[in-house]
């Protein structure tokens, strides 16, 4: 099993680098042990432009069940920035992580962001967050105002805005027992692409370079992915709705 996992991770890195190299980007990979509210967790990140010190770094945060290189098309426009792309615990090539329950989600996300900044030694950042990453970046902006200078949201920020609704596959993945089994079943490339169309919109990935979608599909087959990611969905969704306790108030958004 260890050898199989190592081979899987090698393939993931190979496809991931194919996507970055398509835009002549040379990311440097690193892994840190971060102290979070659910214990120490292994967090993997990619860094681009580490020598660019003219401006505050940019931290890129992906969504639940998603992966960092999905946003690669935007990175060429940010070549003058120092960019840090983090895999949430339980996602990508980070270590496993199960969220104990909904009440843990906000403090957990802030602890991961603060922990990675502490470990890298960065006083403050701008944040680019997609979906759940946007929701977590808003939590961090409220809890760590001296460390989060600006937040840019790509798509709806998870459950942070009242009235947001989960799509059906997310509702299924939030079901106890069923969710992890569905995520463990594995999917074909066609099914994986179909889910991404439903989650991101028709044509959203039409111009993605080689390697991006394959990276995401392979990451979803890592051993710890099903139990980790399903725990995020359970913390986000109750029944057919997003948990209202995750929404920010107008004052917090202001």
């Amino acid at each position: 099993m260890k050898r199989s996992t190592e081979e899987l991770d090698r393939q993931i890195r190979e496809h991931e680098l194919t996507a970055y190299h398509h835009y002549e980007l040379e990311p440097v990979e690193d892994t840190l042990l971060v102290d979070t509210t659910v214990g120490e967790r292994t967090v993997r990140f990619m860094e681009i432009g580490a020598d660019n010190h003219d401006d505050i770094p940019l931290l890129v945060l992906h969504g639940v069940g998603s992966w960092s290189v999905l946003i690669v098309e935007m990175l060429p426009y940010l070549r003058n920035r120092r960019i840090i792309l983090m895999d949430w615990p339980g996602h990508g090539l980070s270590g496993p992580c199960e969220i104990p329950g909904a009440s843990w989600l906000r403090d957990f996300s802030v602890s991961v962001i603060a922990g990675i900044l502490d470990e890298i030694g960065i006083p403050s950042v701008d944040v680019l967050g997609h979906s759940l990453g946007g929701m977590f970046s808003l939590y961090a902006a409220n809890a760590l105002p001296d460390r989060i200078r600006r937040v840019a949201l790509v798509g709806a920020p998870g459950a942070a805005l009242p009235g947001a609704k989960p799509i059906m596959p997310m509702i299924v993945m939030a079901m106890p027992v069923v969710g992890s089994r569905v995520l463990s079943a594995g999917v074909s490339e066609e099914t994986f692409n179909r889910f991404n169309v439903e989650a991101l919109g028709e044509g959203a990935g039409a111009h993605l370079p080689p390697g991006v979608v394959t990276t995401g599909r392979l990451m979803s087959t890592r051993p710890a992915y099903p139990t980790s990611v399903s725990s995020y969905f359970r913390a986000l969704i109750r029944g057919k709705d997003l948990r209202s306790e995750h929404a920010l108030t107008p004052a917090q958004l202001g």
Side-chain angles (χ1 to χ4, degrees), residues 96-110:
C97 179
E98 293 185 45
I99 308 299
S103 63
W104 292 77
L105 201 58
R106 188 174 302 208
D107 289 343
F108 164 74
S109 65
V110 173

Side-chain angles (χ1 to χ4, degrees), residues 11-181:
Q11 292 178 13
I12 288 171
R13 289 184 171 95
E14 181 179 301
H15 287 286
E16 190 178 47
L17 285 175
T18 296
Y20 285 119
H21 289 167
H22 181 82
Y23 294 106
E24 299 182 347
L25 299 169
E26 292 292 343
V28 177
E29 179 180 353
D30 203 351
T31 302
L32 295 170
L33 192 62
V34 176
D35 188 18
T36 79
T37 54
V38 299
E40 290 188 329
R41 292 292 181 267
T42 302
V43 178
R44 178 261 199 169
F45 64 96
M46 304 289 275
E47 190 162 2
I48 298 170
D51 296 331
N52 295 336
H53 299 298
D54 294 340
D55 201 354
I56 190 169
L58 177 68
L59 177 64
V60 179
L61 303 176
H62 66 79
V64 60
S66 190
W67 63 106
S68 293
V69 76
L70 184 63
I71 207 165
V72 69
E73 287 181 296
M74 297 182 68
L75 301 184
Y77 300 99
L78 301 164
R79 289 184 187 274
N80 63 326
R81 300 292 296 272
R82 179 184 180 187
I83 304 169
I84 299 158
L85 301 107
M86 185 186 79
D87 293 348
W88 285 110
H91 294 72
L93 293 179
S94 287
C97 179
E98 293 185 45
I99 308 299
S103 63
W104 292 77
L105 201 58
R106 188 174 302 208
D107 289 343
F108 164 74
S109 65
V110 173
S111 71
V112 173
I113 293 171
I116 197 77
L117 297 184
D118 289 343
E119 292 294 332
I120 298 177
I122 297 176
S124 60
V125 291
D126 291 338
V127 183
L128 177 64
H130 170 240
S131 190
L132 184 82
M135 170 177 153
F136 285 172
S137 66
L138 291 173
Y139 290 165
N142 274 270
L144 309 167
D146 295 334
R147 307 200 70 176
I148 309 298
R149 183 178 69 168
R150 292 182 297 198
V151 171
L153 303 176
V154 183
L161 301 182
K165 296 289 184 181
I167 60 175
M168 183 53 67
M170 294 178 178
I171 294 172
V172 173
M173 287 184 281
M175 293 178 180
V177 182
V178 173
S180 58
R181 286 181 179 174

